[in-house]
Amino acid sequence: MNELWQLYKSKTWVEPFLVYSIYLFILVTVVLFVLIMISRSTKIRNERLIRKYEISIEKMLFSILFGTENYGSIKKEEDFISLNQKPLFRNQLLESVINLHQNYEGVYAKKLESFYFESNLINDSFEKLKSRHWEIKCKGIKELAEMNVSKIFNTLVKISKSKNKTLKITALNACIKLNGTNGITHLIDHKDPIDTWTQLNILSAFKKGNIENTNGIELLLTSKNKTVVSLGLKIIQTLYLSQKAVFINELIATTNSEKIKSEAKNVLHLFVNPKSSKV
Amino acid sequence: MFTGELHQFVELYLILIMVYAILIMSSYLILAHLSVKQLKEHLKKNSFVNYEVLLSTEFAPHLSLIAPAYNEGMTIEENVKSLLSLNYNNYQVIVVNDGSKDNSMEILINTYDLILVELQFETKIPTKKVKAIYQSRNAAYKKLIVVDKENGGKADALNVGLNIAQNPYVVCIDVDCILDKDSLLKLAKPFLESTEKRVIATGGVVRIANQCIIKDGRLVEVNIPDKMLPRIQVLEYLRAFLLGRMAWERLDGLLLISGAFGAFDKEIAILSGGYDHKTVGEDMELVVRMRRYMHDKKLPYTVSYIPDPLCWTEAPESFTIFKKQRSRWMRGTIETLWIHRKMFMNPKYKLLGTISVPYWTFFEFLAPFIEFLGLLITAVFIILGLLYWHFFLLLVLFVYFFAVMFSVIALYSEERTYHKYPKIKDFLKLLGGALIEPLYFHPIAVYAALVGYMEKIRGTKGWGEMTRKGFQKK
């Protein structure tokens, strides 16, 4: 302490400290300024390239969808060979395939799925699944689920137990997309609470997926996890599954949670009076 | 003898000032570091969030928007219209006319076809007398409730809204703010996300809308003001919201949710007594009181914060209005810290008592005073010939370049996150602002804060008239 005091008193440190700090502040400012400029110019360049790529991607995909072309003929084109090696182009191509697949059904969707498989874009998605970064994993899951790659189902069940909420939601939504009601019955044994936001996302996936077979949803009501039971009740209420009333009555008789009991009674009440609000 | 004592005093003074400067600068850098981390995480998560989930479900939280209005006749019609057209289903809008002297009520009655209604509500928080409650005959405006009450100030108007609100969450806003269309979706989400802790409040980022283009109550073009005073406030808001509040959210030590835009758990807001009409810093005071209530009752809770720019407001363009606003902010800070002085350095309140409240006390409340004192003492040194000009100039440059660097860090964060100012001209304007700020804006801000101290000592109450220029419309 005394040494520090002596050093302080000697004042020899003051000038170098101030001068070097000023240099450091100026340096950081200049570096950040340069980084901002680089970031801006990269953004502009990428946007320009993406616009350019979009034109050729659109032309190519539309010729596959509505024409007679297929991946076999396209992969021989010189333009495609050179562009396909560029990561930005491949990303854009994958994004366009996924977007189109969301908008088309039937034979068109099948054509896009074949293209996804033959062009090895599927491998790009699988690579993302292996990533250590959850956000990249999420992207991969979304792509594979959208393209109906059902062989990833078991991997998704594992991922759905993740602590990372976003990853969990993405995996559960993918499970529902690929396997309907069976996609979430594994939640019965789920130990962690599922928050309302996650529940609403699962509910939305159900609504979006137009899932007709709802057999097994009632199993959620038997879970020891109250949030899973609450999710089951929400699904039954939203999809208006009045045939499940018997299971709800059973739940009311057996549960010792007042909150669940009230939620269950509310669902039954809505079955009787669909236009009424909560009891 | 006298010279020896003087030198000792100078030594002591220099040590204290240096320690204070290093503490304040390093705290800014630590907070900025935490903020950037939090911001990055938020943006990563947000890229997978589908807010439409909340639009299509009856389970979305039910919200009551409370918009107090005082002499807003010039803009109230359009502002209410924009509040009624937000992307959300389960919400009502409660406009509380706080005894306006202009024709606000007439405009509201005529525009929205309002009729008197007998709305039953319990007065859980005492307020000034409610004269009448109106609802529209037009089904298109069924979400709207207009309350006409005796003048009692903003806090009193908000309390009337809390009493009347029929939904479990209230969103308190300034009626003249421009809200993002999805602002309610984003503000409501945190209330659904916690299973172990109760989310008692959520705040959103406020940005400056001067010289931005507004169409039908929505922001359509972002511009940076040409005038230096509002321009530097853009930079100031970027620093405060992007490099400050995100860090406090991460630490769960947020003390302030802007009065312009924040959502609260109505039950807790009422249980903790609602807005305090005796303070001009009612927004900060309510958050501190709600947190204190939860701590005292030993209830697990958290306060959430959304870094997305959801609310745009008009910043003062004239020195007089700016001075009034900042002196009021300082009075509000003093009043809140004084009311809750029991929390200061009190380990019972955990991080709140040991870090948040002391931080506000030392670096928000005391900073202008210490700066002013520093200037006075420097002047005395100059007069007595004690000033080492060489070191003094180095010290000035040290502080100046730190301030510039910190603003550029904020600009870099904005660039890499929301990128709301894509025009190169706007970026250069902000950069210019960063270079000028320490010499032009900062002294004015310190002066306004000192006026706030004086007003507090003199016992000044109330807001003072805050005239606004109005937004540029398309």
Side-chain angles (χ1 to χ4, degrees), chain B residues 25 32 71 82 88 130 175 228 305 347 385 406 453:
Chain B
M25 284 175 176
N71 292 347
S82 88
Y88 203 77
V130 171
V175 75
M228 200 48 88
Y305 181 73
F406 199 64
Y453 291 147

Side-chain angles (χ1 to χ4, degrees), chain B residues 128-323:
Chain B
K128 286 275 170 80
K129 193 180 161 198
V130 171
K131 291 195 275 191
I133 301 178
Y134 299 86
Q135 273 185 308
S136 178
R137 271 188 292 216
N138 186 339
Y141 306 128
K142 65 177 181 190
K143 286 176 186 164
L144 179 66
I145 293 177
V146 176
V147 183
D148 191 17
K149 68 175 280 282
E150 284 177 4
N151 181 264
K154 191 182 172 188
D156 193 63
L158 287 164
N159 283 338
V160 166
L162 277 170
N163 284 334
I164 287 176
Q166 290 149 337
N167 295 327
Y169 299 102
V170 289
V171 181
C172 300
I173 58 159
D174 282 349
V175 75
D176 53 357
C177 278
I178 305 293
L179 294 188
D180 184 270
K181 209 148 172 68
D182 291 336
S183 53
L184 293 186
L185 292 171
K186 293 184 178 177
L187 212 58
K189 182 175 161 261
F191 289 114
L192 302 169
E193 285 186 301
S194 188
T195 49
E196 284 144 22
K197 289 177 175 178
R198 185 166 179 169
V199 179
I200 59 166
T202 311
V205 164
V206 179
R207 290 218 186 173
I208 303 290
N210 298 47
Q211 221 170 298
C212 293
I213 311 281
I214 313 294
K215 191 186 172 193
D216 299 329
R218 297 271 165 262
L219 188 98
V220 290
E221 190 184 311
V222 179
N223 292 313
I224 294 295
D226 291 325
K227 284 189 181 169
M228 200 48 88
L229 195 62
R231 190 199 297 184
I232 294 176
Q233 287 174 82
V234 173
L235 206 55
E236 191 196 21
Y237 275 51
L238 281 182
R239 281 198 312 262
F241 285 96
L242 290 182
L243 298 184
R245 293 201 193 167
M246 280 310 285
W248 289 114
E249 202 247 0
R250 191 179 177 92
L251 296 168
D252 201 8
L254 200 66
L255 288 189
L256 173 61
I257 284 179
S258 169
F261 188 55
F264 302 91
D265 183 319
K266 188 180 80 178
E267 191 189 358
I268 304 298
I270 288 174
L271 281 172
S272 44
Y275 284 95
D276 184 351
H277 56 84
K278 286 182 195 137
T279 171
V280 285
E282 76 293 323
D283 45 2
M284 179 179 174
E285 204 282 327
L286 179 69
V287 179
V288 178
R289 194 143 34 82
M290 284 173 77
R291 297 195 79 132
R292 190 173 167 183
Y293 173 85
M294 297 302 277
H295 268 285
D296 289 342
K297 299 281 172 197
K298 295 192 170 60
L299 299 168
Y301 79 96
T302 187
V303 172
S304 177
Y305 181 73
I306 317 286
D308 303 351
L310 302 178
C311 173
W312 296 76
T313 189
E314 191 188 342
E317 290 196 352
S318 81
F319 170 71
T320 318
I321 304 293
F322 176 78
K323 190 187 80 182

